[in-house]
Structure formats: C-alpha cells, structure tokens
Amino acid sequence: MEWLLAPPTAAAASALRGEVTAFLRRHADSPDTVDDAALIVSELLGNAVQHAGGPVWVTLDWSTDRPELVVHDLGATVDLADLPAVPDTASIRGRGLWLVSRLSPELDVVAKRGDGKRIRTVLPVRRRVEPSFDPPRRQVNPLPALDEAGPDGFGREPFLRALVVELARTAENSHGPASAEQMVAQVGATVGGQMEQEYRRAREVAGRLTPGQLAECYLRLKSAIDGDFYVISVDEDRIVLGNRRCPFGDTVRRAPALCRMTSSVFGGVAARNHGEAVVLLDERIAVGDPECRVTVLLGPAARDNPGGHHYRDGS
C-alpha cells in the first residue's frame, strides 16, 4: 500500500497514522503488540511532515512475517551513527529516530542521489496466518488535470493514463491490494511479451536474447511510450538502467504502484529468455528520486536474491 502526503500537513499525517495503526491492529496476531509499531509510525510521519519541506511518500509492505514501512521525503538526510546512546531529556528534538531505533527490529536511512532520503523500518508486529485484503484510503484524483486539455479537449494519452490508474484502483477497492498488484503485473507481462515479439521481428532475432539485446529491447519499448531509459551497465547476470522521464508523467507521483508495470514488463521478458529474473526498483521518480534506477538480475543471480520482484518462465 502506498500513499502520498502533498502537502504534508499535520492533519494528513494524523489521518494516515490512524489508518495504518488500525490496519495493523486488525491483522496483527496479537493486537496488544501494535502499540510500539504505532509509535514508530507516529514518529516517522511526524518527523517527515515537520522537517521534509515537501511531499512525503509512505509505503507499507506486509508480504512477509513482519510489515516493512518506508518513508521517502525530500528533506535533509541523517546518519544513524550520530544518534546518541541516550537522548538529551532536556530537548524535544532529535529523540524520534532514537526512539524508533530502540523499538524497531530493523532501521536504515539512505540518502537519495538527489534531494531527500529514504527511511526503512520493520515494525515489531506479526501478521495472523489468514490473508487479508484492505484497500488503502485514496485521496488522489487519477483523472487528467484540466490544464492538460488542448483546443479540442483531452487527447488519447491522458485518457488512457487515467484509465490504467482508475482500473487498478477499482480492482484494489473491490478485491484488495494483492489483486490489484496481480492485475498490473499480468498486464505488464502480457504487453511486454508482445513488445518482445515486435523487437525480435524488427531486429530479426531468434533464440534467447542476450543481456545486451534485452537492454536494447527495454530501451525500444520504453521509448515507444515516451520513457527516457538509458543503459548504465550490462553484464552476463544483470542489467542496470536509468530513466529520466516516466511515461505516466507527474501522475506516477500520485500513484507510485504504477511502477509495478515497469517491473513486470522487464521481469517477464527477462524470465522468458533466462529462466528466472528479479527486478529491483532501486530508485523511482514516483517517490521523489530525480531519476529511476532499475536493476534486472538474470538466471542464477536472480535465484540467489531474496529481494525485489521475482519472475519465472511460465512457457
């Protein structure tokens, strides 16, 4: 689940804190364990709103035993090594991260290449065994902005962009976030397969695509939909790409889940040619990074990596 606080007001942070805490309490194996997690959420959201000076993106992923909370903002970064062993009790500042570091099983802060930072923490609660589907609150209007209209009204691109966002949101509201993610991933994999066939025909390529050919295929298909991807590096077991412009435009900042489309397109093509693939969305314009950075791991390198989105050849 992902949210955008823009503008990042205290009221918006309070509402989101209440929503996240209620979600944790409904699905924790013991509701009594939620208090520490709620305090962590409160501290991180409060610090981001108070000090970021710009939009704040929040992601909650409970796909494993414990939930992972990630907060992206454009404020100054901090070094966890500088946290005191014991906070200054006379000061009300600087105590939030110290408290989080004591309550959370895991905490790390990473500076973005541009402005801002990413704070990732694992919350000290566990999920009950049964699955749950809780659609997140949505305050974002996915429809095209009025200033995107031309002399004859809205064109095809803003309409189709809004259609994709609204279909994903409808699936999420009706069947839960897991269903929406599955839908976006399936669409990406299917579209990616057709684009791969077009690349093979254009380049007269047969057999398995090499890592270099995969990279060229990615650039070709993303350029066709107005992305601005470029190759950072290509090796036998991995491809690293950058991107200066998202095909979804500014809409992606209001709906970061659309990044799964890129992941499934890249991962599906790679898995069909190398058996297995993992896609790591290392940096994303959608959460305030200046550019996207995507790593695609191939074959054995994918098999040995527990993170990212995993794909296998289903043919």
Side-chain angles (χ1 to χ4, degrees):
M1 297 186 287
E2 297 188 274
W3 300 267
L4 168 66
L5 301 182
T9 63
S14 178
L16 179 55
R17 179 172 59 245
E19 179 180 347
V20 172
T21 300
F23 171 77
L24 296 175
R25 200 173 300 281
R26 284 196 303 274
H27 302 295
D29 60 358
S30 173
D32 295 336
T33 65
V34 174
D35 290 344
D36 286 349
L39 186 54
I40 292 172
V41 174
S42 178
E43 291 293 341
L44 292 184
L45 291 182
N47 284 347
V49 167
Q50 184 176 4
H51 302 297
V56 175
W57 295 267
V58 181
T59 299
L60 182 68
D61 179 4
W62 207 345
S63 57
T64 57
D65 183 44
R66 293 178 185 258
E68 179 181 270
L69 181 74
V70 179
V71 178
H72 293 258
D73 66 55
L74 302 182
T77 190
V78 295
D79 189 342
L80 294 179
D82 294 335
L83 292 180
V86 179
D88 182 0
T89 57
S91 173
I92 62 173
R93 295 179 61 86
R95 299 170 61 181
L97 272 184
W98 179 88
L99 184 59
V100 171
S101 71
R102 293 303 186 269
L103 295 176
S104 173
E106 296 180 32
L107 174 67
D108 57 73
V109 180
V110 178
K112 293 175 177 288
R113 284 195 301 143
D115 296 329
K117 62 185 175 296
R118 183 201 71 191
I119 299 181
R120 185 194 70 88
T121 185
V122 173
L123 301 179
V125 295
R126 285 189 163 86
R127 181 190 278 277
R128 293 197 303 268
V129 173
E130 65 269 19
S132 64
F133 298 95
D134 281 64
R137 168 178 53 91
R138 292 299 189 194
Q139 296 180 324
V140 172
N141 179 5
L143 302 179
L146 295 180
D147 58 8
E148 292 186 70
D152 299 319
F154 291 111
R156 180 176 59 181
E157 180 180 342
F159 170 77
L160 292 178
R161 186 181 65 225
L163 178 64
V164 171
V165 176
E166 190 62 14
L167 283 174
R169 189 175 72 166
T170 300
E172 187 169 349
N173 288 340
S174 300
H175 304 291
S179 177
E181 184 168 313
Q182 181 183 15
M183 183 189 76
V184 172
Q186 180 61 55
V187 170
T190 303
V191 172
Q194 189 72 356
M195 290 180 167
E196 177 189 349
Q197 293 306 311
E198 187 279 331
Y199 168 80
R200 288 178 175 277
R201 185 177 66 174
R203 295 289 189 267
E204 298 182 346
V205 176
R208 190 184 79 165
L209 297 182
T210 66
Q213 290 170 330
L214 280 176
E216 184 184 27
C217 178
Y218 293 156
L219 298 189
R220 180 181 177 86
L221 64 88
K222 282 297 185 179
S223 176
I225 58 174
D226 202 30
D228 190 16
F229 277 76
Y230 60 93
V231 174
I232 296 175
S233 64
V234 177
D235 299 301
E236 283 303 308
D237 62 352
R238 75 184 57 217
I239 302 166
V240 183
L241 301 172
N243 178 41
R244 306 179 187 91
R245 181 178 63 248
C246 179
F248 287 105
D250 288 339
T251 299
V252 78
R253 289 177 176 261
R254 305 195 296 269
L258 291 173
C259 296
R260 187 60 193 260
M261 186 74 72
T262 294
S263 172
S264 60
V265 169
F266 286 6
V269 174
R272 278 191 295 275
N273 286 275
H274 291 263
E276 295 183 51
V278 165
V279 177
L280 305 171
L281 302 177
D282 302 314
E283 296 180 7
R284 297 190 290 163
I285 293 172
V287 293
D289 292 313
E291 295 186 0
C292 296
R293 188 182 182 99
V294 181
T295 299
V296 183
L297 303 177
L298 307 172
R303 199 156 44 245
D304 297 336
N305 191 294
H309 299 139
H310 287 246
Y311 301 89
R312 290 180 173 83
D313 181 18
S315 60

